[in-house]
Amino acid sequence: MTEEGKASRAALTVLVKAKRSSMGRAARARRKKPARWLYPWAVENRYAAAYRAWFRPVRDFVHDYVQKHREAVLMGDSADAVVRQDEAAGESFNTMVRSLNGWAGAYISDDEEKKLRSPVYLGLGNIADSAFDFNGIQYDKSVKSALGIQFPSDEGWWPSARELWQDMNYDIIRSDIKKYIADINAATEQAVTNGWSAGKLSAKIQELDDKISRSRARFIARDQMGKLNGQVSQHRMQDIGLSMYEWSTSGDERVRESHEVMEGLLCRWDDAEVCSHDNGKTWVPRPAGAVLMHPGMDYQCRCCALPWFDEILNELDAADGIVPDYGPEETAEFMETTETPEMPVLEEDFIPATNTNSSNAYAKNILGIPHADYKGVSLEAANEWNRGLTDNFRKFQELKEQFGFVGESHARNAAMKEKYKKLYFQEKRADFERQIRAKLPNASPEEIREITENTLEEYSNRYWQKNYGKHLKVPKLAVAQSYTPIEEWCQEFAGITVNKDHVKDYSDFLKRSERAVAAKYHPVGTETLKATLDHEIGHQLDSMLDLRTDSVILDLWGKLSHEQITEGLSVYAWNNTNPQPIREFIAEAWSEYCNNPAPRPIAKKVGERIEEVYKEWKRK
């Protein structure tokens, strides 16, 4: 243990001792396990999405170049109309190679100064900060639940750790881009020398695209997020003088056997090869076949280390002559206060709220969404929304991590604006006061404060409207909105909201929905608000799983005429303003699949394929 760690532990021990001084002997003896330390699923998903986004310009460059020059490339710049089997790569191919390498060199440069300004490098820094902040929330919850106090950890190590992680991940992404370009070059040269058709070359390029569009993105995101989360947890615990931790797996079917055997075992930070079965009294080698690393350090590991505060409490108990109580009473209290509540079975256990406050409480306490505001939404609509979210979170646990806010669309925008103004005031207040004081040297402090407040109000409203307000405006025809922020300050507002203007009167909403279904504008069985929610969930699943690039769904989309889609699904499935109409096709099919007791062939095929893709995605 470092000297800093010893000092922090001593300070923490003093605070805990002071807290315990007002407690009875039985209360001091009773142990409370720390709150469950959650894995940063949402940040991992952001990383995977960012990885694909960073690759997209490279893929677009390749596709655009090949589309424009593939005939010249494939013919090796020969004057012959037919490509010969022994044809050598010509100047068009060489130009493509030079263009790709030159473009990549500028996009994700080896030069240190250019790297620091790269959107990839900056984006990695933002992702690292999000993981760090999420981990900090878990740490604070853990200390508070186990010790009943708040105790910050030293975070002076974070800037250098952040930079190291940025550098490493930048190198990974740069290497992947270079490998992709090398594979494209190799495939194109093979196409030239072996006389491939343009279609065969395009198919090969699509095959290479598929490797990086989903599986590689998921692998890198999970592997690197697990490592970062593990390192940050270790730093935080050791910084407050903890030398032991309890191993906690993610508890799902993807946990490897070598990790599952470690569940609940006490471990040491200074030795990754031992464990204890008797609360640290004796240490033995880890079970046969167990992983010999700390949580998160193995490839794609999503396990977490739970801080073992008992090493501090045991010292205090020994001094007081107290025997720790690990009895059933403590276990029941822990399960009641710190475990993630099990989702209720919809048709049997879902209890509708009786008022708006209860709807908000259900979303926060049962669904685990940090912010909820159903103000202005009818009670029937709020219950339907919560019921739909419960259903989807049970099916797709990872979606839950993408929600920071649920409720009414205008309420979300108002909350966002309020936070934006608060941050703007904090950032600009000192500058504005200084400028006003310089312009009005004879003004009193009260006058300067008043002018500053008015100026901040005016400018914050102006910049909010320019940068966010006009984009977040709730369209009159929009019943629901999905929102995925791209900036850190507003991540807490991610989620799906409902427009109160459509559901103030739920019976009227149902009548309008029935007319839309009867006119074939929306699918059969989607008259309810839950079906509207499921449509938006379909969009989120599309983003998470890259459904719009799935070969089965693409093949179905390509074979169907507009008339067939109208009759077999809905008008909106093809006639919409989305730049990628297939996305509405997927969302409409998912909505019918979830809500029509007997989904029709199109919805059934798309719905079953989504479930298959999700299972494959979870295994990767």
Side-chain angles (χ1 to χ4, degrees):
M1 188 185 303
T2 65
E3 291 302 317
E4 291 81 0
K6 291 178 181 178
S8 293
R9 177 161 171 163
L12 177 58
T13 301
V14 169
L15 289 177
V16 174
K17 190 173 182 179
K19 174 72 176 179
R20 286 159 54 102
S21 65
S22 61
M23 299 165 58
R25 192 177 182 86
R28 279 181 284 164
R30 191 175 303 130
R31 289 290 187 267
K32 292 184 180 181
K33 283 192 175 183
R36 186 180 177 189
W37 196 295
L38 301 179
Y39 177 84
W41 282 110
V43 187
E44 180 190 303
N45 290 335
R46 277 185 55 210
Y47 189 179
Y51 180 98
R52 294 192 297 270
W54 292 328
F55 251 97
R56 194 166 295 123
V58 189
R59 293 166 57 192
D60 291 346
F61 185 96
V62 169
H63 283 264
D64 184 61
Y65 190 96
V66 172
Q67 183 67 30
K68 291 179 179 178
H69 305 288
R70 62 184 180 181
E71 297 300 332
V73 169
L74 288 169
M75 292 177 64
D77 296 303
S78 168
D80 298 338
V82 180
V83 178
R84 299 193 304 273
Q85 290 291 330
D86 60 350
E87 186 65 71
E91 186 56 31
S92 290
F93 173 77
N94 292 328
T95 300
M96 185 188 80
V97 173
R98 288 195 300 269
S99 298
L100 274 174
N101 288 327
W103 189 91
Y107 178 61
I108 188 159
S109 176
D110 295 338
D111 180 80
E112 188 67 20
E113 288 189 10
K114 291 181 179 178
K115 179 186 82 172
L116 297 177
R117 298 193 299 269
S118 163
V120 175
Y121 191 79
L122 295 173
L124 285 167
N126 290 334
I127 289 171
D129 285 337
S130 294
F132 179 78
D133 291 343
F134 182 86
N135 186 280
I137 293 172
Q138 307 312 305
Y139 165 81
D140 290 339
K141 281 196 314 182
S142 186
V143 175
K144 181 68 175 176
S145 62
L147 303 179
I149 63 172
Q150 291 181 318
F151 190 81
S153 65
D154 177 23
E155 299 176 351
W157 51 269
W158 173 239
S160 58
R162 177 186 190 267
E163 183 179 356
L164 182 64
W165 189 84
Q166 271 182 285
D167 289 340
M168 181 171 62
N169 281 262
Y170 184 85
D171 289 342
I172 290 172
I173 294 168
R174 180 173 58 193
S175 176
D176 283 357
I177 287 177
K178 287 183 176 180
K179 185 180 183 304
Y180 170 73
I181 290 173
D183 289 344
I184 291 292
N185 293 344
T188 310
E189 187 164 17
Q190 187 179 5
V192 171
T193 56
N194 293 331
W196 289 4
S197 66
K200 187 174 181 180
L201 174 59
S202 296
K204 180 63 177 178
I205 291 174
Q206 185 60 51
E207 181 184 328
L208 294 172
D209 287 352
D210 291 342
K211 289 181 180 179
I212 64 167
S213 65
R214 187 180 308 158
S215 59
R216 180 63 177 169
R218 294 303 317 172
F219 177 88
I220 293 298
R222 182 160 300 156
D223 184 62
Q224 291 300 309
M225 193 50 56
K227 287 179 170 57
L228 179 62
N229 190 53
Q231 291 167 3
V232 173
S233 296
Q234 181 175 354
H235 266 294
R236 281 197 159 109
M237 292 179 205
Q238 290 185 308
D239 282 347
I240 61 172
L242 296 183
S243 60
M244 293 173 260
Y245 65 89
E246 182 181 321
W247 191 291
S248 175
T249 69
S250 59
D252 59 32
E253 71 279 1
R254 286 177 291 171
V255 176
R256 280 163 280 180
E257 187 176 346
S258 60
H259 294 224
E260 189 172 11
V261 296
M262 293 300 298
E263 172 67 29
L265 292 182
L266 189 63
C267 303
R268 298 173 61 96
W269 284 120
D270 62 356
D271 190 345
E273 298 187 3
V274 299
C275 64
S276 176
H277 299 272
D278 56 6
N279 292 325
K281 294 177 182 177
T282 58
W283 295 91
V284 297
R286 290 187 178 184
V291 58
L292 301 180
M293 302 179 191
H294 295 309
M297 295 302 103
D298 200 3
Y299 74 95
Q300 296 201 91
C301 176
R302 297 160 295 128
C303 299
C304 294
L306 302 181
W308 203 68
F309 294 111
D310 282 9
E311 61 180 291
I312 294 176
L313 295 175
N314 286 346
E315 291 178 1
L316 295 174
D317 283 345
D320 294 339
I322 294 174
V323 178
D325 177 9
Y326 295 97
E329 183 181 349
E330 183 279 325
T331 303
E333 181 179 355
F334 166 63
M335 292 296 293
E336 184 177 282
T337 59
T338 65
E339 284 287 356
T340 300
E342 181 179 351
M343 290 299 175
V345 178
L346 287 180
E347 297 304 322
E348 298 176 7
D349 295 340
F350 182 85
I351 302 175
T354 56
N355 54 54
T356 299
N357 288 338
S358 296
S359 299
N360 294 339
Y362 181 89
K364 292 178 181 179
N365 300 331
I366 301 299
L367 297 181
I369 301 173
H371 306 285
D373 188 348
Y374 282 106
K375 185 177 181 180
V377 176
S378 68
L379 188 58
E380 298 95 328
N383 281 326
E384 195 73 3
W385 207 252
N386 279 340
R387 181 187 293 272
L389 288 171
T390 304
D391 190 13
N392 280 285
F393 288 170
R394 285 175 62 84
K395 291 178 183 175
F396 310 105
Q397 296 178 8
E398 295 81 2
L399 283 179
K400 183 177 178 179
E401 301 298 332
Q402 300 182 42
F403 276 73
F405 184 97
V406 68
E408 203 279 321
S409 301
H410 297 85
R412 179 207 58 208
N413 291 352
M416 280 186 68
K417 183 177 181 181
E418 191 63 30
K419 181 173 181 180
Y420 175 83
K421 289 174 67 174
K422 182 178 179 180
L423 293 174
Y424 186 89
F425 275 42
Q426 290 174 351
E427 180 184 356
K428 301 292 186 181
R429 184 187 301 277
D431 287 341
F432 278 25
E433 281 188 354
R434 188 165 46 251
Q435 293 174 27
I436 293 169
R437 195 175 291 111
K439 290 181 179 179
L440 303 172
N442 297 322
S444 67
E446 292 76 14
E447 289 173 328
I448 290 176
R449 278 197 297 271
E450 182 179 355
I451 296 171
T452 299
E453 291 297 317
N454 292 337
T455 306
L456 285 167
E457 183 75 23
E458 177 188 348
Y459 275 79
S460 63
N461 283 330
R462 183 186 305 174
Y463 287 122
W464 164 263
Q465 185 59 28
K466 177 182 177 182
N467 297 320
Y468 303 99
K470 61 182 180 182
H471 304 298
L472 289 169
K473 185 177 180 181
V474 182
K476 287 185 178 180
L477 297 179
V479 178
Q481 284 185 306
S482 289
Y483 180 59
T484 304
I486 60 174
E487 295 182 55
E488 292 303 315
W489 74 268
C490 51
Q491 288 297 321
E492 64 188 271
F493 299 102
I496 303 175
T497 53
V498 60
N499 183 353
K500 65 183 179 183
D501 294 338
H502 286 267
V503 291
K504 289 178 180 177
D505 184 335
Y506 193 58
S507 61
D508 182 62
F509 166 78
L510 291 177
K511 291 176 183 177
R512 285 183 279 112
S513 296
E514 288 169 0
R515 290 196 294 269
V517 170
K520 300 180 181 179
Y521 190 71
H522 288 308
V524 173
T526 63
E527 298 89 348
T528 65
L529 186 61
K530 178 182 175 297
T532 301
L533 172 69
D534 287 327
H535 175 101
E536 300 301 329
I537 292 290
H539 284 311
Q540 294 213 352
L541 290 172
D542 177 21
S543 297
M544 186 170 79
L545 305 174
D546 280 334
L547 296 172
R548 60 196 175 283
T549 66
D550 179 72
S551 58
V552 175
I553 294 176
L554 275 172
D555 182 63
L556 179 63
W557 167 258
K559 287 180 179 178
L560 294 171
S561 66
H562 289 168
E563 183 179 358
Q564 288 173 317
I565 296 175
T566 295
E567 296 301 320
L569 192 58
S570 71
V571 172
Y572 189 67
W574 65 270
N575 186 10
N576 53 72
T577 58
N578 195 313
Q580 296 177 291
I582 189 174
R583 303 194 71 169
E584 301 300 341
F585 172 78
I586 293 168
E588 288 285 86
W590 180 249
S591 181
E592 177 174 346
Y593 182 71
C594 294
N595 295 278
N596 186 350
R600 294 171 295 171
I602 295 176
K604 190 171 188 295
K605 187 167 185 178
V606 173
E608 289 176 347
R609 181 56 184 165
I610 290 174
E611 291 176 338
E612 289 173 4
V613 172
Y614 175 67
K615 289 178 182 177
E616 294 169 2
W617 177 80
K618 287 198 67 161
R619 287 195 293 266
K620 292 177 181 177

